[in-house]
Amino acid sequence: MIIKKKKAQVTIFIILALILVVSLALIYVLIRKPTISISPEDNPQAYIEKCMKDYTTEALEILMPQGSYIEPRNYKLYKDVKVGYLCYTREFYETCKNQEPMLMEHIEKEVTGYIAPRMQNCFSNLRRELEKKNYDIDMQSMNISVEIKPEKVFITINRKLQLIKNEQTRNYETFKTQILSPVYELSVIALKIMNGESVGCGYDYVNEMMLYSNYDIKKFVTGDSTKIYTLKDKISQQELKFAIRSCVVPPGL
């Protein structure tokens, strides 16, 4: 009887262990993000457009915490991040000068400059993969357009691409994609703050938050009187951060 009980207990433990393993496997399958592999041969357009989307997202993730710059030159180091100045003066008592009056156009240019060489690599990878499959390829020059619009960023690449294999020809000329982003809305608020700082040495960002309830605005003043503004979209949690030096009083006064 004792042996039978022990065997029954072992069987129960094995069943419970199997249930646990199966449950964990199901949870993993349900919560993990699906990975999508795009074949260059089957869908060259989707392959290139995925590159466009990934690198545009990457560019925004770099520049938004750095005052809209991929590589800031005039910046304030804040929490180990180079936060670029969007309104700046080196003089005391003077109001700052707006560094990027066409802020959205500036960001479009920064994104374009970032993704251009990376998209060249994507097209080169596409060529290599297709040549392995015995395609004849004619690829013309590339033109990139980045447009920041409300809630979205649109990316377009015009490039003639012809693929020939087994007397069949496929032609491509335009590659388009878009990503969701609050960069337009955050830039509008940033421009208001920059203009206020350049005219009146400050800006009532508390009232601004009442007008833009979907956004959180914070200001931190460093030891040298640099103002670090952080604009956050409450839905996406994405932030635009920038520095301002305006109407600074000399130390000790």
Side-chain angles (χ1 to χ4, degrees), residues 148-174:
I148 295 176
K149 299 293 183 182
E151 300 181 351
K152 294 178 181 178
V153 177
F154 295 88
I155 313 96
T156 302
I157 291 181
N158 292 313
R159 185 169 207 172
K160 289 185 178 180
L161 176 64
Q162 185 178 75
L163 312 178
I164 304 172
K165 182 179 180 181
N166 298 330
E167 299 183 354
Q168 292 184 346
T169 301
R170 286 190 280 173
N171 291 295
Y172 303 89
E173 290 190 9
T174 303

Side-chain angles (χ1 to χ4, degrees), residues 5-239:
K5 286 183 179 180
K6 287 184 177 179
K7 286 183 177 180
Q9 289 175 345
V10 171
T11 302
I12 291 171
F13 286 137
I14 292 173
I15 293 171
L16 290 174
L18 287 172
I19 292 173
L20 179 60
V21 170
V22 172
S23 299
L24 291 174
L26 285 172
I27 291 172
Y28 174 76
V29 170
L30 290 173
I31 66 173
R32 75 184 182 94
K33 294 181 179 179
T35 56
I36 301 173
S37 178
I38 299 175
S39 167
E41 181 180 10
D42 294 337
N43 198 334
Q45 184 134 10
Y47 178 83
I48 292 298
E49 289 172 359
K50 184 179 185 302
C51 279
M52 295 162 63
K53 183 176 291 188
D54 289 347
Y55 285 129
T56 300
T57 300
E58 192 174 282
L60 292 173
E61 288 175 350
I62 293 171
L63 69 82
M64 288 179 70
Q66 298 189 151
S68 78
Y69 298 96
I70 294 292
E71 296 180 357
R73 294 184 179 180
N74 185 21
Y75 60 86
K76 176 68 178 177
L77 193 63
Y78 176 69
K79 295 183 178 180
D80 297 323
V81 176
K82 296 177 180 179
V83 183
Y85 283 100
L86 286 185
C87 199
Y88 180 82
T89 179
R90 67 175 60 189
E91 305 298 332
F92 292 112
Y93 302 113
E94 290 187 3
T95 56
C96 61
K97 182 179 179 181
N98 194 332
Q99 304 298 295
E100 302 295 345
M102 307 291 286
L103 181 58
M104 277 174 273
E105 289 83 350
H106 157 71
I107 295 174
E108 290 170 351
K109 186 177 179 180
E110 289 283 291
V111 173
T112 301
Y114 182 85
I115 70 173
R118 291 161 176 82
M119 289 310 306
Q120 289 285 14
N121 287 336
C122 278
F123 277 105
S124 295
N125 291 336
L126 177 66
R127 177 190 286 274
R128 281 194 296 270
E129 291 301 315
L130 292 174
E131 285 177 341
K132 290 178 184 178
K133 303 294 183 179
N134 299 317
Y135 279 88
D136 290 323
I137 300 167
D138 180 24
M139 189 182 296
Q140 303 298 316
S141 59
M142 178 177 69
N143 179 265
I144 300 177
S145 170
V146 176
E147 292 183 282
I148 295 176
K149 299 293 183 182
E151 300 181 351
K152 294 178 181 178
V153 177
F154 295 88
I155 313 96
T156 302
I157 291 181
N158 292 313
R159 185 169 207 172
K160 289 185 178 180
L161 176 64
Q162 185 178 75
L163 312 178
I164 304 172
K165 182 179 180 181
N166 298 330
E167 299 183 354
Q168 292 184 346
T169 301
R170 286 190 280 173
N171 291 295
Y172 303 89
E173 290 190 9
T174 303
F175 304 86
K176 291 184 177 182
T177 191
Q178 63 186 45
I179 62 170
L180 295 175
S181 173
V183 65
Y184 177 93
E185 290 76 12
L186 296 180
S187 296
V188 169
I189 299 172
L191 282 167
K192 288 187 175 183
I193 294 173
M194 293 154 60
N195 291 335
E197 291 279 0
S198 67
V199 174
C201 299
Y203 193 76
D204 190 354
Y205 66 94
V206 176
N207 282 334
E208 192 72 16
M209 281 194 292
M210 295 176 67
L211 294 174
Y212 297 93
S213 59
N214 292 332
Y215 307 97
D216 185 38
I217 306 173
K218 292 182 180 179
K219 180 179 74 172
F220 177 81
V221 182
T222 67
D224 65 353
S225 298
T226 291
K227 301 171 186 176
I228 305 292
Y229 281 94
T230 302
L231 317 181
K232 182 168 75 173
D233 173 57
K234 294 180 180 179
I235 297 175
S236 68
Q237 299 297 300
Q238 294 183 45
E239 295 181 346

